[in-house]
Coordinates of all heavy atoms in Angstrom, one line a residue:
M1 N -78.3 -95.3 18.0 CA -77.3 -94.9 19.0 C -76.5 -96.2 19.4 O -77.1 -97.2 19.7 CB -78.0 -94.3 20.2 CG -77.0 -93.7 21.2 SD -77.9 -92.9 22.5 CE -77.7 -91.2 22.1
T2 N -75.2 -96.1 19.3 CA -74.3 -97.3 19.6 C -74.0 -97.3 21.0 O -74.2 -96.4 21.8 CB -73.1 -97.2 18.7 OG1 -72.3 -96.1 19.2 CG2 -73.4 -97.1 17.2
A3 N -73.3 -98.4 21.4 CA -72.9 -98.6 22.8 C -71.9 -97.5 23.2 O -71.9 -97.0 24.3 CB -72.4 -100.0 23.0
M4 N -71.0 -97.2 22.3 CA -70.0 -96.2 22.6 C -70.6 -94.8 22.8 O -70.1 -94.1 23.6 CB -68.9 -96.2 21.4 CG -68.0 -97.4 21.4 SD -67.2 -97.6 23.0 CE -66.2 -96.2 23.2
D5 N -71.6 -94.5 22.0 CA -72.3 -93.2 22.2 C -72.9 -93.2 23.6 O -72.9 -92.2 24.3 CB -73.4 -93.0 21.2 CG -72.8 -92.8 19.8 OD1 -71.7 -92.4 19.7 OD2 -73.6 -93.1 18.8
L6 N -73.5 -94.3 24.1 CA -74.1 -94.4 25.4 C -73.0 -94.2 26.5 O -73.2 -93.5 27.5 CB -74.8 -95.7 25.6 CG -76.1 -95.8 24.8 CD1 -76.7 -97.2 25.0 CD2 -77.1 -94.7 25.3
V7 N -71.9 -94.8 26.3 CA -70.8 -94.7 27.3 C -70.3 -93.3 27.3 O -70.1 -92.7 28.4 CB -69.6 -95.7 26.9 CG1 -68.4 -95.4 27.7 CG2 -70.0 -97.1 27.1
T8 N -70.1 -92.6 26.2 CA -69.7 -91.2 26.1 C -70.7 -90.3 26.8 O -70.3 -89.4 27.6 CB -69.5 -90.8 24.7 OG1 -68.5 -91.7 24.1 CG2 -68.9 -89.4 24.6
L9 N -72.0 -90.6 26.6 CA -73.0 -89.8 27.2 C -73.0 -90.0 28.7 O -73.2 -89.0 29.4 CB -74.4 -90.2 26.6 CG -75.6 -89.4 27.1 CD1 -75.4 -87.9 26.7 CD2 -76.9 -89.9 26.5
A10 N -72.8 -91.2 29.2 CA -72.8 -91.5 30.6 C -71.6 -90.8 31.3 O -71.7 -90.3 32.4 CB -72.8 -93.0 30.8
Q11 N -70.5 -90.7 30.6 CA -69.3 -90.1 31.2 C -69.4 -88.6 31.3 O -68.8 -88.0 32.0 CB -68.1 -90.5 30.4 CG -67.7 -92.0 30.6 CD -66.5 -92.4 29.7 OE1 -66.1 -91.6 28.8 NE2 -66.0 -93.6 30.0
Q12 N -70.3 -88.0 30.5 CA -70.5 -86.6 30.5 C -71.4 -86.1 31.5 O -71.5 -84.9 31.8 CB -71.0 -86.1 29.1 CG -69.9 -86.3 28.0 CD -70.5 -85.9 26.6 OE1 -71.7 -85.7 26.5 NE2 -69.6 -85.9 25.6
Q13 N -72.1 -87.0 32.2 CA -73.1 -86.6 33.2 C -72.4 -86.2 34.4 O -71.3 -86.7 34.8 CB -74.0 -87.8 33.5 CG -74.9 -88.3 32.4 CD -75.8 -87.2 31.8 OE1 -76.4 -86.5 32.6 NE2 -75.8 -87.0 30.5
P14 N -72.9 -85.2 35.2 CA -72.3 -84.8 36.4 C -72.4 -85.9 37.5 O -73.3 -86.7 37.4 CB -73.1 -83.6 36.9 CG -74.4 -83.7 36.2 CD -74.1 -84.4 34.9
P15 N -71.4 -86.0 38.3 CA -71.5 -87.1 39.3 C -72.6 -87.0 40.3 O -73.1 -85.8 40.6 CB -70.1 -87.0 40.1 CG -69.7 -85.6 39.8 CD -70.2 -85.2 38.5
A16 N -73.2 -88.1 40.7 CA -74.3 -88.1 41.6 C -73.8 -87.6 43.0 O -72.7 -87.7 43.4 CB -74.8 -89.5 41.8
P17 N -74.7 -86.9 43.7 CA -74.3 -86.4 45.0 C -73.9 -87.6 45.9 O -74.6 -88.6 46.0 CB -75.5 -85.7 45.6 CG -76.7 -86.2 44.7 CD -76.1 -86.6 43.4
G18 N -72.8 -87.5 46.6 CA -72.3 -88.6 47.5 C -72.8 -88.4 48.9 O -73.7 -87.7 49.2
T19 N -72.1 -89.1 49.8 CA -72.4 -89.1 51.2 C -71.4 -88.2 51.9 O -71.2 -88.4 53.2 CB -72.4 -90.5 51.8 OG1 -71.1 -91.1 51.5 CG2 -73.5 -91.3 51.1
S20 N -70.6 -87.4 51.3 CA -69.6 -86.6 51.9 C -70.2 -85.6 53.0 O -69.7 -85.4 54.0 CB -68.8 -85.8 50.9 OG -69.6 -84.8 50.3
N21 N -71.4 -85.1 52.7 CA -72.1 -84.3 53.7 C -72.5 -85.0 55.0 O -72.3 -84.5 56.1 CB -73.3 -83.6 53.1 CG -72.9 -82.6 52.1 OD1 -71.8 -82.0 52.1 ND2 -73.9 -82.3 51.1
V22 N -72.9 -86.3 54.8 CA -73.3 -87.1 55.9 C -72.0 -87.4 56.7 O -72.0 -87.4 57.9 CB -74.0 -88.4 55.5 CG1 -74.2 -89.3 56.6 CG2 -75.3 -88.0 54.8
R23 N -70.9 -87.8 56.0 CA -69.7 -88.1 56.7 C -69.1 -86.9 57.4 O -68.7 -87.1 58.6 CB -68.7 -88.6 55.6 CG -67.4 -89.0 56.2 CD -66.4 -89.5 55.2 NE -66.0 -88.4 54.3 CZ -64.8 -87.8 54.4 NH1 -63.9 -88.2 55.3 NH2 -64.5 -86.8 53.6
D24 N -69.2 -85.8 56.8 CA -68.7 -84.6 57.5 C -69.5 -84.2 58.8 O -69.0 -83.8 59.8 CB -68.7 -83.4 56.6 CG -67.7 -83.5 55.4 OD1 -66.8 -84.3 55.6 OD2 -67.9 -82.8 54.4
W25 N -70.9 -84.5 58.7 CA -71.7 -84.2 59.8 C -71.4 -85.2 61.0 O -71.3 -84.8 62.1 CB -73.2 -84.3 59.4 CG -74.1 -84.0 60.6 CD1 -74.5 -82.8 61.0 CD2 -74.7 -85.0 61.5 NE1 -75.3 -82.9 62.1 CE2 -75.5 -84.2 62.4 CE3 -74.7 -86.4 61.5 CZ2 -76.2 -84.9 63.4 CZ3 -75.4 -87.0 62.5 CH2 -76.1 -86.2 63.5
I26 N -71.2 -86.4 60.6 CA -70.9 -87.4 61.6 C -69.5 -87.1 62.3 O -69.4 -87.2 63.5 CB -70.9 -88.9 61.0 CG1 -72.3 -89.3 60.7 CG2 -70.2 -89.9 62.0 CD1 -72.4 -90.6 59.9
L27 N -68.5 -86.8 61.4 CA -67.2 -86.4 62.0 C -67.2 -85.2 62.8 O -66.5 -85.1 63.8 CB -66.2 -86.3 60.9 CG -65.8 -87.6 60.2 CD1 -64.9 -87.3 59.0 CD2 -65.1 -88.5 61.1
G28 N -68.1 -84.2 62.4 CA -68.1 -83.0 63.2 C -69.0 -83.0 64.4 O -68.8 -82.2 65.3
N29 N -70.0 -83.9 64.5 CA -70.9 -83.9 65.6 C -70.9 -85.2 66.5 O -70.8 -85.1 67.7 CB -72.3 -83.7 65.1 CG -72.5 -82.3 64.5 OD1 -72.1 -81.3 65.1 ND2 -72.9 -82.3 63.2
I30 N -71.0 -86.3 65.8 CA -71.2 -87.6 66.6 C -69.8 -88.0 67.2 O -69.8 -88.4 68.4 CB -71.7 -88.7 65.7 CG1 -73.1 -88.3 65.1 CG2 -71.8 -90.0 66.4 CD1 -74.2 -88.2 66.1
V31 N -68.8 -88.0 66.4 CA -67.5 -88.5 67.0 C -67.0 -87.7 68.2 O -66.7 -88.2 69.2 CB -66.4 -88.5 65.8 CG1 -65.0 -88.8 66.4 CG2 -66.8 -89.5 64.8
P32 N -67.0 -86.3 68.2 CA -66.6 -85.6 69.4 C -67.6 -85.9 70.6 O -67.1 -86.0 71.7 CB -66.7 -84.1 69.0 CG -66.6 -84.1 67.5 CD -67.2 -85.4 67.0
L33 N -68.9 -86.0 70.3 CA -69.8 -86.3 71.4 C -69.5 -87.7 72.0 O -69.5 -87.9 73.2 CB -71.2 -86.3 70.9 CG -72.3 -86.5 71.9 CD1 -72.3 -85.4 73.0 CD2 -73.7 -86.5 71.3
L34 N -69.2 -88.7 71.2 CA -68.8 -90.0 71.7 C -67.5 -90.0 72.5 O -67.3 -90.6 73.5 CB -68.7 -91.0 70.5 CG -70.0 -91.5 69.9 CD1 -69.7 -92.4 68.7 CD2 -70.8 -92.2 70.9
L35 N -66.5 -89.2 72.0 CA -65.3 -89.1 72.7 C -65.5 -88.4 74.1 O -64.9 -88.9 75.1 CB -64.3 -88.3 71.9 CG -63.7 -89.0 70.6 CD1 -62.8 -88.0 69.9 CD2 -62.9 -90.2 71.0
L36 N -66.3 -87.4 74.1 CA -66.6 -86.8 75.4 C -67.3 -87.7 76.4 O -66.9 -87.8 77.5 CB -67.4 -85.5 75.2 CG -67.9 -84.8 76.4 CD1 -66.7 -84.2 77.1 CD2 -68.9 -83.7 76.1
T37 N -68.2 -88.5 75.8 CA -68.9 -89.5 76.7 C -68.0 -90.6 77.2 O -68.0 -90.9 78.4 CB -70.0 -90.2 75.8 OG1 -70.9 -89.1 75.3 CG2 -70.8 -91.1 76.7
V38 N -67.1 -91.1 76.3 CA -66.1 -92.1 76.8 C -65.2 -91.5 77.8 O -64.9 -92.2 78.8 CB -65.3 -92.6 75.6 CG1 -64.1 -93.4 76.0 CG2 -66.2 -93.5 74.7
A39 N -64.7 -90.3 77.6 CA -63.8 -89.7 78.6 C -64.5 -89.5 80.0 O -63.9 -89.8 81.0 CB -63.3 -88.3 78.1
L40 N -65.7 -89.0 80.0 CA -66.5 -88.9 81.2 C -66.7 -90.2 81.9 O -66.6 -90.3 83.1 CB -67.8 -88.2 81.0 CG -67.7 -86.7 80.6 CD1 -69.0 -86.1 80.3 CD2 -67.0 -85.9 81.7
L41 N -67.0 -91.2 81.1 CA -67.3 -92.6 81.7 C -66.0 -93.1 82.3 O -66.0 -93.7 83.4 CB -67.8 -93.5 80.7 CG -69.3 -93.4 80.3 CD1 -69.7 -94.3 79.2 CD2 -70.2 -93.7 81.6
L42 N -64.9 -92.9 81.6 CA -63.6 -93.4 82.1 C -63.2 -92.7 83.5 O -62.8 -93.4 84.4 CB -62.5 -93.2 81.1 CG -62.4 -94.2 79.9 CD1 -61.4 -93.7 79.0 CD2 -62.2 -95.6 80.4
L43 N -63.5 -91.4 83.5 CA -63.2 -90.7 84.7 C -64.1 -91.1 85.9 O -63.7 -91.3 87.0 CB -63.3 -89.2 84.5 CG -62.2 -88.6 83.7 CD1 -62.5 -87.1 83.4 CD2 -60.9 -88.7 84.4
W44 N -65.4 -91.3 85.5 CA -66.4 -91.6 86.5 C -66.2 -93.1 87.1 O -66.2 -93.3 88.3 CB -67.8 -91.5 86.0 CG -68.9 -91.7 86.9 CD1 -69.1 -91.1 88.1 CD2 -69.9 -92.7 86.8 NE1 -70.2 -91.6 88.7 CE2 -70.7 -92.7 87.9 CE3 -70.1 -93.7 85.8 CZ2 -71.8 -93.5 88.1 CZ3 -71.2 -94.5 86.0 CH2 -72.0 -94.4 87.2
L45 N -66.0 -94.0 86.1 CA -65.9 -95.4 86.6 C -64.5 -95.7 87.3 O -64.5 -96.4 88.3 CB -66.0 -96.3 85.4 CG -67.4 -96.4 84.7 CD1 -67.3 -97.2 83.5 CD2 -68.4 -96.9 85.7
G46 N -63.4 -95.2 86.7 CA -62.2 -95.6 87.3 C -61.5 -94.6 88.2 O -60.9 -94.9 89.2
G47 N -61.7 -93.3 87.9 CA -61.1 -92.3 88.7 C -61.6 -92.2 90.1 O -60.8 -91.9 91.1
G48 N -62.9 -92.4 90.3 CA -63.4 -92.3 91.7 C -63.0 -93.4 92.6 O -63.0 -93.2 93.8
K49 N -62.7 -94.5 92.1 CA -62.3 -95.7 92.9 C -60.8 -95.9 93.0 O -60.4 -96.7 93.7 CB -62.9 -97.0 92.2 CG -64.4 -97.0 92.1 CD -64.8 -98.3 91.4 CE -66.3 -98.2 91.0 NZ -66.7 -99.4 90.2
G50 N -60.1 -95.1 92.3 CA -58.6 -95.2 92.3 C -58.1 -96.4 91.5 O -57.0 -96.8 91.6
D51 N -59.0 -96.9 90.6 CA -58.6 -98.0 89.7 C -57.9 -97.5 88.4 O -58.5 -97.5 87.4 CB -59.9 -98.8 89.4 CG -59.5 -100.1 88.6 OD1 -58.4 -100.5 88.6 OD2 -60.5 -100.6 87.9
N52 N -56.7 -97.0 88.6 CA -56.0 -96.5 87.5 C -55.6 -97.5 86.4 O -55.6 -97.2 85.2 CB -54.7 -95.7 87.9 CG -55.1 -94.5 88.8 OD1 -56.1 -94.0 88.6 ND2 -54.2 -94.2 89.7
A53 N -55.3 -98.7 86.8 CA -55.0 -99.8 85.9 C -56.2 -100.1 85.0 O -56.0 -100.4 83.8 CB -54.5 -101.0 86.6
G54 N -57.4 -100.2 85.6 CA -58.6 -100.4 84.9 C -58.9 -99.4 83.8 O -59.3 -99.6 82.7
V55 N -58.6 -98.1 84.2 CA -58.8 -97.0 83.3 C -57.9 -97.1 82.1 O -58.3 -96.9 81.0 CB -58.6 -95.7 84.0 CG1 -58.6 -94.5 83.1 CG2 -59.7 -95.4 85.1
M56 N -56.6 -97.5 82.4 CA -55.7 -97.6 81.3 C -56.0 -98.8 80.4 O -55.8 -98.7 79.2 CB -54.2 -97.8 81.9 CG -53.8 -96.5 82.6 SD -54.0 -95.0 81.6 CE -52.8 -95.2 80.4
R57 N -56.5 -99.9 80.9 CA -56.9 -101.0 80.0 C -58.1 -100.5 79.1 O -58.1 -100.8 77.9 CB -57.4 -102.2 80.9 CG -56.3 -103.0 81.4 CD -56.8 -104.3 81.9 NE -57.8 -104.2 82.9 CZ -57.6 -104.1 84.2 NH1 -56.4 -104.1 84.7 NH2 -58.6 -104.0 85.1
R58 N -59.0 -99.8 79.7 CA -60.1 -99.3 78.9 C -59.6 -98.3 77.8 O -60.1 -98.3 76.7 CB -61.2 -98.7 79.7 CG -61.9 -99.8 80.6 CD -63.0 -99.1 81.4 NE -63.6 -100.1 82.3 CZ -63.3 -100.2 83.6 NH1 -62.4 -99.3 84.1 NH2 -63.8 -101.1 84.4
L59 N -58.7 -97.5 78.2 CA -58.1 -96.5 77.3 C -57.5 -97.1 76.1 O -57.5 -96.6 75.0 CB -57.2 -95.6 78.1 CG -56.7 -94.4 77.3 CD1 -57.8 -93.5 76.9 CD2 -55.6 -93.6 78.1
G60 N -56.9 -98.3 76.3 CA -56.3 -99.0 75.2 C -57.3 -99.4 74.2 O -57.1 -99.3 72.9
G61 N -58.5 -99.8 74.6 CA -59.6 -100.2 73.7 C -60.1 -98.9 73.0 O -60.4 -99.0 71.8
V62 N -60.1 -97.8 73.7 CA -60.6 -96.6 73.0 C -59.6 -96.1 72.0 O -60.0 -95.7 70.9 CB -60.8 -95.5 74.1 CG1 -61.0 -94.1 73.5 CG2 -61.9 -95.8 75.1
I63 N -58.3 -96.3 72.2 CA -57.3 -95.9 71.2 C -57.5 -96.8 69.9 O -57.4 -96.3 68.8 CB -55.9 -96.0 71.8 CG1 -55.8 -94.8 72.8 CG2 -54.8 -95.9 70.7 CD1 -54.5 -94.9 73.6
V64 N -57.7 -98.1 70.1 CA -57.9 -99.0 69.0 C -59.2 -98.6 68.2 O -59.2 -98.6 67.0 CB -58.0 -100.5 69.5 CG1 -58.5 -101.4 68.4 CG2 -56.6 -100.9 70.0
A65 N -60.2 -98.3 68.9 CA -61.5 -97.8 68.3 C -61.2 -96.5 67.5 O -61.8 -96.4 66.4 CB -62.6 -97.7 69.3
L66 N -60.5 -95.6 68.0 CA -60.2 -94.4 67.3 C -59.4 -94.6 66.1 O -59.6 -94.0 65.0 CB -59.5 -93.4 68.2 CG -60.3 -92.7 69.3 CD1 -59.4 -91.9 70.2 CD2 -61.4 -91.9 68.7
A67 N -58.4 -95.6 66.2 CA -57.6 -95.9 65.0 C -58.5 -96.5 63.9 O -58.4 -96.2 62.7 CB -56.5 -96.9 65.4
I68 N -59.5 -97.3 64.3 CA -60.4 -97.9 63.3 C -61.3 -96.8 62.7 O -61.5 -96.8 61.4 CB -61.3 -99.0 63.9 CG1 -60.3 -100.2 64.3 CG2 -62.4 -99.5 63.0 CD1 -61.0 -101.3 65.1
I69 N -61.8 -95.9 63.5 CA -62.6 -94.8 62.9 C -61.7 -93.9 62.0 O -62.2 -93.6 60.9 CB -63.2 -93.9 64.1 CG1 -64.2 -94.7 64.8 CG2 -63.7 -92.6 63.5 CD1 -64.7 -94.0 66.1
G70 N -60.5 -93.7 62.4 CA -59.6 -92.9 61.5 C -59.4 -93.6 60.2 O -59.3 -92.9 59.1
L71 N -59.2 -94.9 60.2 CA -59.0 -95.7 59.0 C -60.2 -95.7 58.1 O -60.1 -95.6 56.9 CB -58.6 -97.1 59.4 CG -58.2 -98.0 58.2 CD1 -57.0 -97.6 57.5 CD2 -58.0 -99.4 58.8
A72 N -61.4 -95.7 58.7 CA -62.6 -95.7 58.0 C -62.9 -94.4 57.3 O -63.5 -94.4 56.2 CB -63.8 -96.1 58.9
V73 N -62.6 -93.3 57.9 CA -63.0 -92.0 57.3 C -61.9 -91.4 56.4 O -62.1 -90.4 55.8 CB -63.4 -91.0 58.4 CG1 -64.6 -91.6 59.1 CG2 -62.3 -90.7 59.3
T74 N -60.7 -92.0 56.4 CA -59.6 -91.4 55.6 C -59.6 -92.0 54.2 O -59.7 -93.2 54.1 CB -58.3 -91.6 56.3 OG1 -58.3 -91.1 57.6 CG2 -57.1 -91.0 55.5
T75 N -59.5 -91.2 53.2 CA -59.5 -91.6 51.8 C -58.2 -92.3 51.5 O -57.2 -91.9 51.8 CB -59.7 -90.4 50.9 OG1 -60.8 -89.7 51.3 CG2 -59.9 -90.9 49.5
D76 N -58.4 -93.5 50.9 CA -57.2 -94.3 50.5 C -56.3 -94.7 51.6 O -55.2 -95.1 51.3 CB -56.4 -93.6 49.4 CG -57.2 -93.4 48.1 OD1 -58.2 -94.2 47.8 OD2 -57.0 -92.5 47.3
A77 N -56.7 -94.7 52.8 CA -55.8 -95.1 53.9 C -55.6 -96.6 53.9 O -54.4 -97.0 54.2 CB -56.5 -94.7 55.3
G78 N -56.5 -97.4 53.6 CA -56.4 -98.8 53.6 C -55.3 -99.2 52.6 O -54.4 -100.1 52.9
S79 N -55.4 -98.7 51.3 CA -54.4 -99.1 50.3 C -53.0 -98.6 50.7 O -52.0 -99.3 50.5 CB -54.8 -98.6 48.9 OG -54.9 -97.2 48.9
N80 N -52.9 -97.4 51.3 CA -51.6 -96.8 51.6 C -51.0 -97.6 52.8 O -49.8 -97.9 52.8 CB -51.7 -95.4 52.1 CG -52.1 -94.5 50.9 OD1 -51.8 -94.8 49.7 ND2 -52.7 -93.3 51.2
I81 N -51.8 -98.1 53.7 CA -51.3 -98.9 54.8 C -50.8 -100.3 54.3 O -49.8 -100.8 54.7 CB -52.3 -99.0 55.9 CG1 -52.5 -97.7 56.6 CG2 -51.9 -100.1 57.0 CD1 -53.6 -97.6 57.6
G82 N -51.6 -100.8 53.4 CA -51.2 -102.1 52.7 C -49.9 -102.0 52.0 O -49.1 -102.9 52.1
K83 N -49.7 -100.9 51.3 CA -48.5 -100.7 50.5 C -47.3 -100.6 51.5 O -46.2 -101.1 51.3 CB -48.6 -99.5 49.6 CG -49.4 -99.6 48.5 CD -49.6 -98.4 47.7 CE -50.6 -98.5 46.6 NZ -50.8 -97.2 45.9
W84 N -47.5 -99.9 52.6 CA -46.5 -99.7 53.6 C -46.1 -101.0 54.3 O -44.9 -101.3 54.4 CB -46.9 -98.7 54.7 CG -46.0 -98.5 55.8 CD1 -44.8 -97.9 55.8 CD2 -46.1 -99.1 57.1 NE1 -44.2 -98.0 57.0 CE2 -44.9 -98.7 57.8 CE3 -47.1 -99.8 57.8 CZ2 -44.7 -99.0 59.1 CZ3 -46.8 -100.2 59.1 CH2 -45.7 -99.8 59.8
L85 N -47.1 -101.8 54.6 CA -46.9 -103.1 55.2 C -46.1 -104.1 54.2 O -45.2 -104.8 54.6 CB -48.2 -103.8 55.6 CG -48.8 -103.2 56.9 CD1 -50.1 -103.9 57.2 CD2 -47.9 -103.5 58.1
A86 N -46.5 -104.0 52.9 CA -45.9 -104.8 51.9 C -44.4 -104.4 51.7 O -43.5 -105.2 51.5 CB -46.6 -104.7 50.6
G87 N -44.2 -103.1 51.8 CA -42.9 -102.5 51.7 C -42.0 -103.0 52.8 O -40.7 -103.1 52.7
L88 N -42.5 -103.3 54.0 CA -41.7 -103.8 55.1 C -41.1 -105.2 54.8 O -40.0 -105.5 55.2 CB -42.5 -103.9 56.4 CG -43.0 -102.6 57.0 CD1 -43.9 -102.9 58.2 CD2 -41.7 -101.8 57.5
F89 N -41.9 -106.0 54.0 CA -41.4 -107.4 53.7 C -40.7 -107.5 52.4 O -39.8 -108.3 52.3 CB -42.6 -108.3 53.7 CG -43.3 -108.4 55.1 CD1 -44.5 -107.8 55.3 CD2 -42.7 -109.1 56.1 CE1 -45.2 -107.9 56.5 CE2 -43.3 -109.2 57.4 CZ -44.5 -108.6 57.5
V90 N -41.1 -106.6 51.4 CA -40.5 -106.7 50.1 C -39.2 -105.9 50.1 O -38.2 -106.2 49.5 CB -41.5 -106.3 49.0 CG1 -40.8 -106.2 47.7 CG2 -42.7 -107.2 49.0
G91 N -39.2 -104.7 50.8 CA -38.1 -103.9 50.8 C -38.1 -102.8 49.8 O -37.1 -102.2 49.5
G92 N -39.2 -102.5 49.2 CA -39.3 -101.5 48.1 C -40.3 -100.6 48.4 O -40.5 -99.5 48.3

């Protein structure tokens, strides 16, 4: 059996099960629960004291965290954002 036969045989194998089920479970269960917890904490910590500016500062951090989560779970988002940023400077 030659090396090319091994490569051909390896390419014919079905793909190994990935982590898409774990990712879907996290996105469907953990992320909404964390968002609900953050929303309740923001209301409890800032809303009861009338500290609206403090709530808005914390909300900015939550928005940045959501953007990072969205970037992490979206397929090819990093390369697409990189191409968009490069297009701003190159013009193409």
Side-chain angles (χ1 to χ4, degrees):
M1 193 174 252
T2 66
M4 285 307 294
D5 292 334
L6 290 175
V7 169
T8 304
L9 183 62
Q11 290 175 348
Q12 292 174 353
Q13 298 300 316
T19 59
S20 64
N21 290 336
V22 174
R23 183 180 67 104
D24 292 340
W25 182 83
I26 289 172
L27 288 175
N29 295 309
I30 300 296
V31 172
L33 184 62
L34 287 175
L35 289 175
L36 178 65
T37 304
V38 167
L40 290 174
L41 283 174
L42 285 174
L43 288 173
W44 181 61
L45 292 175
K49 299 177 188 174
D51 184 21
N52 294 333
V55 170
M56 294 310 290
R57 279 194 305 271
R58 290 181 189 102
L59 187 61
V62 170
I63 290 173
V64 169
L66 287 176
I68 292 171
I69 290 172
L71 183 65
V73 300
T74 304
T75 306
D76 294 333
S79 63
N80 291 337
I81 291 172
K83 289 176 186 175
W84 176 75
L85 285 174
L88 290 176
F89 296 107
V90 175

